[in-house]
Amino acid sequence: MAHTKLYIPGPVEVNERTWKAFTSPMIGHRSEDFRKLYAEIQPMLRQVLNTGRPVFISTSSAWGVMEGAVRNLTARKVLNCMAGAFSDKWLDVSKRCGREAEALQVEWGSPILPDMIDGKLATGEFDALTLVHNETSTGTLMPLEEIAELKKKYPDVMFIVDTVSSLSAMNIDFDALGLDLLLAGCQKAFALPPGITFFATSQQAQDKAATINDRGYYFDICEFEKNAEKDMTPSTPSISHVYALRSKLQEFMEEGLENRYARHLRLAEKTRDWAAGHGFTLFPEAGYESVTLTCINNGQKEGGRVIDVPKLQGLMKERGFAIDGGYGKIKGKTFRISNMGDETDESMQKVYDALDESMALL
Ligand SMILES: *Cc1c(COP(=O)(O)O)cnc(C)c1O
């Protein structure tokens, strides 16, 4: 069967070089070879996160570490900043972990602003907060730098940030932001096959976790820290992913991180231009658009054009491309086109051409 190229916001296309690395011969996870592989990856991963701290590798999807973060770092009550499907779900996940949790909800497509968080933290009830940097369901980017400033005002609150669909597509400086836990999945902007998640923690986060009894085992950040000192993971990792990660990070270094960031922004702007050219408006509030995907209104806002989204998806699939038909409660009212990972001006142009052809047939 012919492969349909993925322009959904994760998982995204995986290139040949990554697949080749992924199928490297197996090694033992306690062997010298593995420790060398792990150690080789660390400086590159730290460069991507702009950190001097270790970057841990969890064999799980992002939700594993998202759940683990709440279990490790919340003793009293967590504030879940909610602006879309992923950030909304974190409230439910926090409660299922047995934690006191409260929503700070804004309308989907709107940003979470520092003042809103300040107002909640001022109550003194919270010792942790969760934030999704790039809300993939709505294509909305939260003002992370401004929000992270609040850490200075509330030094005892754990700042837990999901950069699942933004890390490596834009500059995120873990140390300068002063965050306590930052995580990213591998199947979004990293363009790896799904299956591992990277995360970094502050020393303060490690110290706090050590005082929390019910942090479990698989996502215990104290276990991660102890093993990382020996260039290992707590349990058997997906070693294939670790090989693929090394190859991917080498690609990042060859391209240059600044070039990688500029490429993502440029391609997102091209997709926004394509949408505007066909009379569409964007779902996120102006000024808060994601650089890794574009969430387009299907006639929701005034003057917006209304189309048959499933039909557009079908026409695109016939042309070899998968695009997304909207997530959760905005399914059909929006559609999303991803430009994250290895996409180029040339590869995106093929998508715009196929979209033009498909639009003409609607
Ligand atoms: C995809 C995504 C997740 C969930 O990732 P899984 O790998 O499915 O666990 C969480 N947050 C954001 C912002 C995402 O885009």
Side-chain angles (χ1 to χ4, degrees):
M1 206 175 69
H3 174 61
T4 307
K5 266 195 93 180
L6 299 178
Y7 290 89
I8 57 173
V12 301
E13 278 303 302
V14 176
N15 71 27
E16 283 301 318
R17 180 169 163 184
T18 303
W19 279 126
K20 195 159 177 282
F22 192 87
T23 57
S24 300
M26 200 42 55
I27 52 175
H29 69 296
R30 301 293 181 219
S31 70
E32 199 51 42
D33 284 345
F34 180 81
R35 293 168 64 166
K36 265 201 228 146
L37 174 65
Y38 186 101
E40 208 183 317
I41 285 168
Q42 274 300 309
M44 295 188 280
L45 261 184
R46 290 179 193 189
Q47 211 175 314
V48 175
L49 275 80
N50 291 284
T51 186
R53 301 279 306 164
V55 181
F56 306 129
I57 301 170
S58 165
T59 297
S60 66
S61 87
W63 273 115
V65 176
M66 290 164 79
E67 170 172 324
V70 170
R71 293 192 70 184
N72 276 269
L73 300 178
T74 311
R76 282 188 291 128
K77 191 173 181 184
V78 58
L79 178 68
N80 301 109
C81 302
M82 292 157 48
F86 294 105
S87 48
D88 287 10
K89 188 170 165 182
W90 221 339
L91 174 71
D92 177 42
V93 170
S94 302
K95 288 179 178 167
R96 290 197 205 190
C97 292
R99 294 303 188 268
E100 286 281 326
E102 191 176 314
L104 168 55
Q105 180 86 65
V106 301
E107 244 185 84
W108 286 26
S110 296
I112 305 265
L113 297 175
D115 281 355
M116 304 171 185
I117 297 175
D118 196 358
K120 289 282 190 184
L121 295 185
T123 63
E125 288 176 34
F126 301 96
D127 66 339
L129 71 81
T130 66
L131 177 77
V132 172
H133 180 214
N134 189 59
E135 184 40 88
T136 318
S137 63
T138 65
T140 310
L141 188 67
M142 307 303 153
L144 178 58
E145 280 179 32
E146 289 86 337
I147 292 170
E149 278 292 312
L150 289 169
K151 175 73 187 176
K152 297 193 185 95
K153 190 168 172 188
Y154 301 101
D156 294 336
V157 176
M158 293 284 115
F159 280 53
I160 303 167
V161 179
D162 161 330
T163 61
V164 172
S165 61
S166 52
L167 188 68
S168 89
M170 54 194 299
N171 192 37
I172 297 173
D173 192 326
F174 180 74
D175 288 357
L177 290 167
L179 303 174
D180 293 295
L181 192 150
L182 178 142
L183 71 116
C186 69
Q187 78 275 27
K188 307 277 169 88
F190 273 74
L192 293 171
I196 57 171
T197 296
F198 331 109
F199 67 105
T201 55
S202 65
Q203 186 57 53
Q204 193 193 347
Q206 291 295 148
D207 294 344
K208 179 164 184 181
T211 69
I212 291 183
N213 293 326
D214 63 340
R215 55 184 193 272
Y217 167 69
Y218 195 71
F219 297 109
D220 176 0
I221 65 174
C222 301
E223 288 288 341
F224 275 94
E225 184 183 41
K226 204 170 66 190
N227 279 276
E229 283 162 12
K230 297 172 285 178
D231 294 321
M232 289 192 290
T233 53
S235 52
T236 319
S238 172
I239 294 167
S240 307
H241 274 95
V242 183
Y243 276 124
L245 175 60
R246 176 175 64 181
S247 164
K248 201 78 226 177
L249 289 164
Q250 286 164 346
E251 267 183 63
F252 287 7
M253 298 304 144
E254 289 161 20
E255 180 179 12
L257 287 172
E258 290 303 326
N259 293 334
R260 187 176 174 79
Y261 304 148
R263 175 167 61 79
H264 277 89
L265 176 60
R266 184 175 73 246
L267 297 179
E269 284 172 343
K270 283 190 175 184
T271 307
R272 295 174 206 161
D273 288 347
W274 176 86
H278 284 268
F280 291 114
T281 56
L282 302 182
F283 187 80
E285 194 174 308
Y288 298 96
E289 298 88 351
S290 166
V291 303
T292 56
L293 75 135
T294 302
C295 185
I296 301 169
N297 278 316
N298 183 19
Q300 254 192 336
K301 290 185 181 162
E302 211 179 322
R305 186 173 167 188
V306 183
I307 58 163
D308 182 341
V309 169
K311 191 169 174 199
L312 176 66
Q313 288 178 283
L315 290 163
M316 286 298 284
K317 187 156 195 306
E318 284 169 19
R319 284 158 183 76
F321 303 99
I323 63 164
D324 175 84
Y327 196 104
K329 67 182 181 192
I330 53 172
K331 189 178 169 78
K333 294 180 180 154
T334 57
F335 58 103
R336 299 179 299 168
I337 300 164
S338 162
N339 61 275
M340 61 181 93
D342 302 329
E343 300 308 326
T344 61
D345 295 84
E346 294 72 32
S347 70
M348 289 307 294
Q349 192 54 52
K350 288 186 184 145
V351 181
Y352 307 138
D353 290 346
L355 280 165
D356 287 342
E357 262 182 49
S358 303
M359 290 289 292
L361 296 170
L362 281 180

